[in-house]
Amino acid sequence: MRRIMYLGMLSAGLMLAGCQSTTQNANADKNNSQSVRADAQRIKSHLRFLSDDLLEGRDTGARGHEIASLYIASELEGYGLTPAGDNGSFLQRAPFRQASLDQASPSFVLETAKGTVELAYPKQYITSASPVSELANVKGQLVFAGYGIVAPELDHDDYADLDVKGKVVVVLSGKPASFPSEEGAHFGSTNEKKRHAAEHGAIGYVTISTPTAEKVRPYQNLLNYIHTPTVRWLDKSGQPANVYPALKNSAYLSKEAAEMVFANADMNLEQIYQLLEEDQSPNGFSLPVSIDFSKRSEHKTISSPNVAAILEGSDPRLKNEYVVYSAHSDHIGIAKTVKKDKINNGAMDNASGTSVLLETARLFSQMPERPKRSILFVAVTAEEKGLLGSDYFAQNPTVAKDAMVANVNLDMPILTYEFNDVIAFGADHSDLKESVSLAAEKIGLTLSPDPWPEQALFTRSDHYSFVKQGVPSVFLVPGLQSADPAIDGSKKFGEFLGTNYHKPGDDFNQPFNWKAATKFAEVNYYIGLTLANQEERSRWNEGDFFGDTFSN
């Protein structure tokens, strides 16, 4: 699970165990009428190994993740699946650039009519390593560009009548409160904002916080991550992907530094914040400030594998289409702490999802008659670095890109209580909602609505890499309704986030509920079976924003 402010990169799938079929799946269910039963001991053994101290937290590019990947590949091979990695293997090796910031190097000088002021790093600003240049330097005038968002669908353009060519843009973090949650998460993402800044000719990029952002992610908390390397996957020419080289440097200012920037401007920071309180988007304007900002980064090339395997479908035509299961196999490695336990084992996040993926693959491999479409299982790397492994696979798939018809993503299922419902983030955007509902009903589960729409979780796990390639996708999690009336599912979920999420306490000693684990595997099996056997491939809803934006 990425460390962004997800109230969870929960994930997983739905549970559906044997029963009678819908009309469209009658033939398939006729051959699979016996109840499917996942094996708790198998899931338990996978999870125990993948979260063991031996693997040292499965950090991207580290030996522990290599061991985990070979374990996953050997299990898939044992199920008789076909390798779908590079050169006939189960591994698709992705190259990455890892950039580490020289902590003594950042220099940020404000040049104003009253003289120059050098900001203190990291007290007054933070910056991350540049994956593009080992020496990054930008000099130029600052221009305030509101949120830095261009969203014609929402009648919003912060660059209208604003000249930023050859200048450094200053943008507010986040998005207007009036924006729809999921669409707003897309438009308000840093990647989208940097893209628009570069396209409008900016040469640098500076972010300032807002009162809302400060409540969710205080500046002081961001200091915990200043030593975190920047990682990007490399394209065939050896260049980092999804970057904007025209933006020569970027930084995030504290409120104190932002106040200096706006001190003699047309509008000061408090006036801008007042507009935000009224849900107004301030117009952009030139600032009477220039900057001279430089830093040094050390670059290192690493590689880390995705693991991919195929269960070939039975239909001569439909077997060339693929239902994709994904789960990230990496975690965050060894913590920099004086405490005795330094290993972030990542049992719930995401050895649990990976273990369920393996058990789901085993269940499919034992079917007396295979489903019509093929099933593609992908254990992806570098999720914790920014969904990088899934993005690499989705942009460089080992099957035809347009042959991937749906994605079911398993990320951090909370398996500490038995649940009676499931939540499918993103299901409202496509006909996957109906498919998931039909599958869930087979074992008496209900499909509940998103309890945290403001979190826009649909945009915050590996499935979103497939969404951006036009593939209808869902991020599935166990619901909050407990099978035991004495247990509060939402409280159990909160307990994990509050105590063990991204900490050494996320280990095998947690109180896993193995019945929940088997139900979770079974529901994922039935979801995949439904998607693989339905007559038509999964489709985006008519007029859906994500379908219209990303589908070819």
Side-chain angles (χ1 to χ4, degrees), residues 481-495:
Q481 298 174 21
S482 173
D484 183 347
I487 294 177
D488 183 341
S490 61
K491 184 177 180 181
K492 286 287 187 181
F493 179 75
E495 286 175 354

Side-chain angles (χ1 to χ4, degrees), residues 81-82 310-314 319 322 370-375:
L81 272 59
T82 302
I310 292 170
L311 180 130
E312 187 175 273
S314 60
K319 71 178 183 180
Y322 299 86
R370 293 189 172 189
K372 295 178 181 179
R373 291 182 177 84
S374 295
I375 311 292

Side-chain angles (χ1 to χ4, degrees), residues 17 35-43 356 359-360 362-363 366 514-523 525-526:
S35 293
V36 167
R37 290 289 179 261
D39 188 334
Q41 288 301 119
R42 290 176 183 270
I43 298 174
V356 168
E359 180 62 2
T360 304
R362 188 187 70 85
L363 293 176
Q366 294 190 335
W514 301 111
K515 188 171 183 180
T518 56
K519 284 180 69 176
F520 191 65
E522 290 162 10
V523 73
Y525 166 82
Y526 278 105

Side-chain angles (χ1 to χ4, degrees), residues 137-141 164-169 197-198 201-205 245-250:
N137 178 253
V138 65
K139 296 181 180 180
Q141 182 186 355
V164 302
K165 190 172 183 179
K167 300 175 184 178
V168 178
V169 295
I203 59 172
Y205 183 88
L247 302 177
K248 301 181 184 303
N249 219 337
S250 62

Side-chain angles (χ1 to χ4, degrees), residues 100-106 121-122 127-129 225-228 296:
S100 300
L101 179 67
D102 178 349
Q103 294 293 314
S105 69
Y121 171 84
T127 187
S128 57
Y225 305 108
I226 62 174
H227 295 281
T228 302
R296 289 185 179 275

Side-chain angles (χ1 to χ4, degrees), residues 364-408:
F364 271 105
S365 73
Q366 294 190 335
M367 292 179 63
E369 181 176 328
R370 293 189 172 189
K372 295 178 181 179
R373 291 182 177 84
S374 295
I375 311 292
L376 173 61
F377 298 93
V378 189
V380 297
T381 186
E383 188 269 354
E384 301 289 0
K385 308 302 183 187
L387 314 183
L388 299 185
S390 58
D391 188 59
Y392 183 85
F393 186 89
Q395 293 199 48
N396 302 276
T398 54
V399 300
K401 187 177 293 187
D402 61 1
M404 296 186 291
V405 300
N407 170 237
V408 179

